[in-house]
Amino acid sequence: MDVKILAEANLLAQILLGVLLITGAFLAKIKKNLRSHCLLMRIGVVVQILAIAFVMAPATIGYIRHEPRDGLFNVQMLIHSVFGLGMVGFWVYINLMFEGVLKSQGRLRPAMRIAFASWGISLLLGLSLYAQIWT
């Protein structure tokens, strides 16, 4: 498959995941519908994990091996990766606490906000990386 088409498909998927995340936040905050919120978040993060495994990780490895860039680009890619994987880690933690597998150490809202902020930072850096590579 053409790398540019794969990158564009991933960009579209990330935009759709953003809409899904904002919808989930709306459901939790405004509508107080936690069941639908949790379902949307689970679907979104599973799709995100698949995108990381099958698109982003191979692309990152390819850039590290074959496309040397300047230091700022590499720092952006590193921070993007750390925040993106951090969001997945927080999501796993939140779900384990929500399901009672881990004992809750207080409210889940701060962890959810950290996960949301991590996602936002990662998304913005990902858009910046996309623009640097493809425009």
Side-chain angles (χ1 to χ4, degrees):
M1 176 177 270
D2 183 359
V3 176
K4 174 89 167 150
I5 292 172
L6 194 58
E8 289 173 351
N10 185 49
L11 177 64
L12 178 62
Q14 295 307 311
I15 291 167
L16 292 174
L17 284 170
V19 170
L20 188 79
L21 181 73
I22 291 168
T23 302
F26 171 80
L27 287 171
K29 185 91 172 153
I30 306 299
K31 294 292 186 178
K32 309 292 187 214
N33 186 341
L34 294 180
R35 181 176 300 275
S36 295
H37 165 78
C38 290
L39 176 64
L40 286 181
M41 295 303 98
R42 286 183 174 137
I43 291 168
V45 174
V46 167
V47 171
Q48 184 64 42
I49 290 169
L50 293 172
I52 290 169
F54 294 107
V55 179
M56 291 181 217
T60 300
I61 292 167
Y63 271 100
I64 290 169
R65 287 187 181 160
H66 305 293
E67 298 286 334
R69 297 280 183 145
D70 65 12
L72 181 59
F73 179 88
N74 292 335
V75 168
Q76 283 181 321
M77 187 177 288
L78 176 65
I79 294 170
H80 166 73
S81 299
V82 167
F83 276 97
L85 292 173
M87 180 277 305
V88 172
F90 271 107
W91 177 83
V92 169
Y93 171 76
I94 291 163
N95 271 277
L96 290 174
M97 297 228 332
F98 189 77
E99 293 297 324
V101 175
L102 294 177
K103 216 170 228 291
S104 179
Q105 303 297 322
R107 299 177 55 88
L108 292 176
R109 187 172 289 159
M112 290 178 185
R113 287 185 175 157
I114 291 170
F116 181 78
S118 295
W119 173 81
I121 291 167
S122 183
L123 178 66
L124 291 175
L125 286 170
L127 292 172
S128 172
L129 292 167
Y130 178 88
Q132 290 176 58
I133 294 167
W134 298 107
T135 59

